Structures are given as C-alpha cells and as structure tokens.
Amino acid sequence: MSKNVSSDRFRKVDVDEYDENKFVDEEEGGENQQGNVMGALQAVLKNPPMNTKNQALKDRAEGLVLKVLSSFKSADIEKAVQSLDKNGVDLLMKYIYKGFEQPTENSSAVLLQWHEKALSAGGVGSIVRVLTARKTV
Amino acid sequence: MSYYNFLLEPISCHAWNKDRTQIAICPNNHEVHIYKKEGGDKWSKIHELKEHNGQVTGIDWAPESNRIVTCGTDRNAYVWTLKGNVWRPTLVLLRINRAARCVKWSPKENKFAVGSGSRLISICYFEQENDWWVCKHIKKPIRSTVLSLDWHPNNVLLAAGSCDFKCRIFSTYIKEVEEKPSPTPWGSKMPFGELMFESSGTDGWVHSICFSGSGGRVAWVSHDSTVAVATGSKNTVISSLRSETLPLLGITFITENSLVAAGHDCYPMLYVYDEGKSTVTFGGKLDIPKQNAQRGMTARERFQNLDKKASSETDKATLESVHKNSISQISILEGDKSKCSKFCTTGMDGGMTIWDVKTLASSMKDLKII
C-alpha cells in the first residue's frame, strides 16, 4: 500500500510528541514523589550552569532549584542546609538571590526561610560572594 | 592593647618611624600629620606636611634612612627628608594619569614602588648624576587599579594586588641600582617587569597583600571575603579560605604560618596556614570586648521587641569591638613578619589600636599562634 504514496516520511514522525496528554516524568519530580527531597537537593546543586552563556539553560536550572526548595517542609530546611558543604552553601545562596529577582506568589516566603538558614550556616561572607561573583549561576 | 582616637575623620593611611615614637597619618585630607608619643597615652602633633593637592592615599616611612614617601590622588609622589626640624619634600614624577593608590619603600630603601589607577606600577629610584628620582613602569599584564604592594626581602620581587581580581609577583630588578638577584622559589630569571606569579580563583578586588618573613609565601585578602596563601615553588599551589565575615582590608604575617587580617568587621582575626595540607583555617577573633553588664529585660520590653523587631533578643545595636568602624590598615610595630610581638591597626573611625600578641594569646585560651 505504501507504493501508492511516493513519500514515506510520515513514518518517521513521532506522534507521541504531539500528544497533549503525554506523561512527562522528570528525574527530580520522580525523587520528589518518593519523598527523597534531600537527594533531590544534592542532585540539583551538582553541576551548576555557571560557565554557559545559554540563558534558557540557566533559567531552567533556577526553576528546578526553586521547585526542589519549595517541596521541603519548614522543619527539614535546617537539616538540609547542614548537610551541604561550604561550596554548597555558597551555591545555594546564589540560587536564593536569583530566585528573589523573579518573585512569584509563594516563592519569596519559601526563599526567605531558606535564606535565614543558609545565612546562619554561611555567614555574611556567603552573601558577599553572591555579590562579587563573576560567573553567575 | 591600647586604643587612641586621633580624630573623627577616617585615617586614610599611616606609617611608623624606626623607633616607633612617631606616627605619620593622613587625616582624610591633603596633608600628612606627624604625631609624637609623649609619655603614657598622649600623642602630640609635631609636624604638618602640606604639599599634596589631593588626598594622600599612601605613606611609607623608611626606618634606616628616615625618609617618608607619600603618594596621593593628585598623581604625584613626594619624598620627604628631615632637614633640621623641618621635613622638605622632593617631587617624584610618576608619569601617571590617574590617582596613585599605595606606596612602599623597598627593604634596602633604594627604590620605592607606587601602585596607581593608571593600571601600572611605578618603580622609582634615585639617579645620582641628575640628583633626581627616576621612574620605570610595569604595565603588562595589569588590567586595573593596583590597590596594594609588598616587597620581597631580596629587594627585587614585588607583589601587587589589583582590582582585576589577581595577585601578581613582578621582578623590579634595576641594574643601575643593584646586583643580580639569586634564584628564589618564585623563579630564577628576573629581568625588569617579569611576571613571576599570577593568581587565579578569587573573585574580588585584592585589597591587601603580604609576603611572609622569608619571602617564600605570599598572602592576600580579596573583596569576596576570602583569604588566600600561596607558597612559591615550581607548581605553586594556592590555598584559600572563604570566610564567613565581611571582606577584609588588611593582612600581615606575624609568624611564618600565622596571619592577622582585619577589615569591615572592625576587629582583627587570626588565620593559620598549613603548607602540608594546603589549607588556611580561621584561628579566632582577636578582640577582647568589654564585659557589658547584662540588663535584665522586663516582660513588657520582651513583647515590645517581639512586636517591633520579631525577635526577643537583647539589643545588639552597638559594636562590641574596639574599633567602631572598618579597619583599613594593619602594620607591624615590634618584631618583624617572621615573629611579631605587637601590631597596630588604624581605621575609618579615626582611631589607632596597638595589639600585643602575647597578651592576646594568653587571654584567649584556644588561640594558637604557630
């Protein structure tokens, strides 16, 4: 039957991509559902997109971090900050300030809670490093 | 530890004479005032050096030859010699077109270096034939204002910290004035202007830089609240510490392994460098605060605080440190960089404090100065 049609390019189209009800299963989202928020935090703070000039990539990373930070319970924030090393605290502070730049309805409240805990762990020095960093996250 | 308040204005820079009886300070204007210690805790002004047309940004007093060099925002430097009871200035043409920021005599006092906003360092030496100070420039590869300078004990190597976030070590060998220097851990070929070492990794302006007593190590503080130390060798390793404090503005070695730094937090701090592990660790806060009588808070005050400030802690609005504003410069008073027993800090509160290392070490039991 395909001989009636001269082109068979339609066979190479992935129809599932155009399906509106497609199930999107992201890696971080998966860990959230399992309740492994600590693991999600570590994963999302690994390999920050510092050296790239691709703004879309940086925005996507920031969005992911915000999602993970919002999914923490208030009581767990302190433990999560304690589990980070010095570089991690500095990086977290950078993401927190980036998040302050584009506030959404709930983000500032959550970020302020994280800011308080990160400040007690990293001191004002970590904020100074956010201000003087040459490569932004 | 003794604190003396000279004036209400910040002290831009200071320098001590050889026997530490006189101090030259710039009271945030175009002049340099020299104060003499009068017994006890009193200081009296004995000289006023007025020649600059712009704020004096750097003063250095050569201990052996008793000459003062000053540099200012008027793009000039003057060398002052004491004739009788008067200080007479000699103009030095720096050939810069921006303000001079810092000046330091070399250890043998036959040269001095001036760092400026023209992105270069002027090395000045005295030419006998013309009876005139001549200067040579080091330009490459400095990309921004040179904020701080320090000389190596061999009189040839100069460390410079600048606003392009890097600390560099240059050779300033001038054949008219000195012999060829012998090899050092920082390199063996040292023609004039040769870059022996350039740092990387810190992100802020380098406010202050210091060689160790032997010259084998260099430490610097930068505006991103880090302290870094590098030991010269074939593959120089830079160890840095990201501190939790506000940026530091001055640093000096007090032994080969211990550093004292101070800055916007208004108190000096001790840092210890371990070359084997390549780490810099925070050794302790070096300020002894007065013991304030603890006022008990009434319940009403507690609720008022909770309502107004969302915290029920006692008022922490006053600074407990000796200096009430940022400390801008540290200098060694007694001893030298390999074994210092007293150091002095001046700050933006117009005050000068003399710190005694032995007293500090004995009063803070966890402090270890190795």
Side-chain angles (χ1 to χ4, degrees):
Chain A
M1 271 252 221
S2 60
K3 288 244 174 73
N4 298 339
V5 208
S6 46
S7 140
D8 62 353
R9 264 178 26 204
F10 67 89
R11 297 186 184 281
K12 296 195 177 74
V13 171
D14 179 10
V15 187
D16 285 331
E17 283 297 321
Y18 298 104
D19 185 359
E20 292 121 17
N21 300 325
K22 183 178 170 194
F23 176 62
V24 179
D25 185 6
E26 281 183 331
E27 185 196 297
E28 321 304 330
E31 282 187 330
N32 264 356
Q33 280 155 23
Q34 290 161 29
N36 185 10
V37 279
M38 296 285 266
L41 183 66
Q42 304 281 355
V44 94
L45 286 179
K46 240 195 299 192
N47 294 331
M50 286 221 187
N51 285 324
T52 174
K53 292 204 176 83
N54 185 350
Q55 190 57 41
L57 188 60
K58 294 195 178 193
D59 290 340
R60 186 164 167 271
E62 173 66 22
L64 268 176
V65 173
L66 267 174
K67 227 168 53 162
V68 173
L69 293 185
S70 328
S71 65
F72 266 78
K73 284 201 289 267
S74 308
D76 294 335
I77 294 183
E78 177 151 10
K79 249 195 316 186
V81 171
Q82 305 285 359
S83 73
L84 293 172
D85 62 344
K86 259 198 165 189
N87 287 345
V89 173
D90 281 350
L91 191 55
L92 178 65
M93 211 37 135
K94 290 202 172 90
Y95 277 118
I96 291 176
Y97 274 92
K98 189 114 194 285
F100 281 145
E101 285 172 34
Q102 319 242 333
T104 65
E105 302 140 14
N106 283 331
S107 69
S108 290
V110 159
L111 285 174
L112 275 171
Q113 281 183 313
W114 278 92
H115 185 274
E116 188 196 339
K117 301 289 182 248
L119 180 61
S120 53
V124 278
S126 60
I127 301 186
V128 173
R129 277 183 282 282
V130 173
L131 296 170
T132 57
R134 310 229 47 230
K135 300 199 176 125
T136 53
V137 80
Chain B
M1 178 180 75
S2 63
Y3 174 78
Y4 184 79
N5 195 310
F6 280 103
L7 18 90
L8 291 172
E9 298 267 327
I11 295 181
S12 317
C13 43
H14 76 268
W16 288 90
N17 70 343
K18 178 174 183 182
D19 53 8
R20 311 314 194 199
T21 53
Q22 296 182 24
I23 181 173
I25 63 169
C26 167
N28 204 34
N29 59 13
H30 305 335
E31 306 167 356
V32 174
H33 295 174
I34 300 189
Y35 284 80
K36 184 170 167 166
K37 195 172 173 88
E38 305 282 348
D41 218 2
K42 298 209 199 320
W43 296 81
S44 62
K45 187 172 2 175
I46 52 172
H47 291 117
E48 274 188 26
L49 276 50
K50 298 189 218 223
E51 194 77 18
H52 277 283
N53 277 328
Q55 193 193 1
V56 179
T57 50
I59 308 180
D60 201 17
W61 200 323
E64 302 303 326
S65 51
N66 205 36
R67 288 176 296 185
I68 299 181
V69 64
T70 59
C71 74
T73 55
D74 57 355
R75 315 190 307 271
N76 286 335
Y78 291 94
V79 175
W80 303 79
T81 18
L82 188 65
K83 295 220 168 65
N85 204 17
V86 182
W87 288 93
R88 297 235 175 268
T90 312
L91 173 67
V92 179
L93 274 183
L94 297 174
R95 296 183 283 130
I96 55 180
N97 53 10
R98 294 284 186 278
R101 275 300 251 109
C102 49
V103 65
K104 269 271 169 83
W105 281 107
S106 69
K108 292 209 183 87
E109 296 166 23
N110 50 6
K111 307 188 278 196
F112 62 87
V114 181
S116 67
S118 313
R119 310 188 323 221
L120 49 84
I121 307 174
S122 302
I123 310 289
C124 308
Y125 60 98
F126 196 65
E127 216 171 53
Q128 281 293 37
E129 306 96 58
N130 296 333
D131 196 21
W132 185 241
W133 288 89
V134 171
C135 86
K136 286 176 112 170
H137 286 166
I138 298 182
K139 276 199 194 159
K140 298 201 179 148
I142 307 176
R143 314 273 293 283
S144 187
T145 308
V146 176
L147 283 181
S148 53
L149 295 168
D150 195 33
W151 287 90
H152 187 281
N154 74 354
N155 211 55
V156 169
L157 294 179
L158 177 71
S162 82
C163 281
D164 59 0
F165 324 117
K166 293 199 189 291
C167 144
R168 298 186 176 89
I169 299 184
F170 291 101
S171 155
T172 64
Y173 167 63
I174 297 183
K175 58 184 191 301
E176 286 94 341
V177 170
E178 55 203 345
E179 303 284 313
K180 236 183 168 176
S182 40
T184 68
W186 300 102
S188 35
K189 276 196 171 295
M190 291 183 257
F192 182 82
E194 177 84 0
L195 179 67
M196 314 297 287
F197 166 70
E198 194 183 65
S199 78
S200 55
T202 44
D203 257 348
W205 307 317
V206 179
H207 283 294
S208 177
I209 190 167
C210 182
F211 265 114
S212 69
S214 63
R217 297 173 179 176
V218 68
W220 65 95
V221 275
S222 124
H223 200 73
D224 60 347
S225 294
T226 54
V227 179
V229 183
T231 306
S233 65
K234 259 217 161 94
N235 305 315
T236 313
V237 170
I238 302 175
S239 337
S240 66
L241 170 70
R242 296 172 174 203
S243 80
E244 292 177 359
T245 58
L246 290 175
L248 297 159
L249 292 174
I251 189 169
T252 181
F253 274 91
I254 52 170
T255 67
E256 274 294 306
N257 294 317
S258 306
L259 304 125
V260 168
H264 289 291
D265 271 312
C266 319
Y267 53 79
M269 301 171 235
L270 179 72
Y271 288 94
V272 181
Y273 173 59
D274 184 330
E275 185 177 344
K277 286 188 261 177
S278 191
T279 57
V280 181
T281 42
F282 178 60
K285 201 171 131 163
L286 288 180
D287 207 315
I288 311 173
K290 302 186 299 239
Q291 294 298 331
N292 289 327
Q294 294 286 356
R295 257 181 64 236
M297 279 199 108
T298 66
R300 186 150 194 265
E301 278 170 354
R302 213 177 272 275
F303 277 112
Q304 264 183 340
N305 262 354
L306 251 172
D307 181 39
K308 270 193 257 174
K309 299 183 224 172
S311 86
S312 46
E313 287 173 5
T314 48
D315 203 74
K316 276 204 180 151
T318 49
L319 266 182
E320 289 177 352
S321 54
V322 174
H323 276 282
K324 298 303 177 200
N325 205 330
S326 315
I327 295 176
S328 50
Q329 193 178 342
I330 301 188
S331 60
I332 298 212
L333 223 52
E334 255 176 44
D336 56 13
K337 284 191 241 172
S338 46
K339 192 141 184 61
C340 165
S341 49
K342 278 201 188 150
F343 61 91
C344 153
T345 53
T346 56
M348 308 227 226
D349 56 351
M352 172 210 45
T353 313
I354 298 182
W355 307 80
D356 186 314
V357 172
K358 271 205 261 309
T359 327
L360 287 169
S362 58
S363 62
M364 281 170 233
K365 2 187 237 313
D366 295 331
L367 212 67
K368 271 203 288 218
I369 300 179
I370 45 170

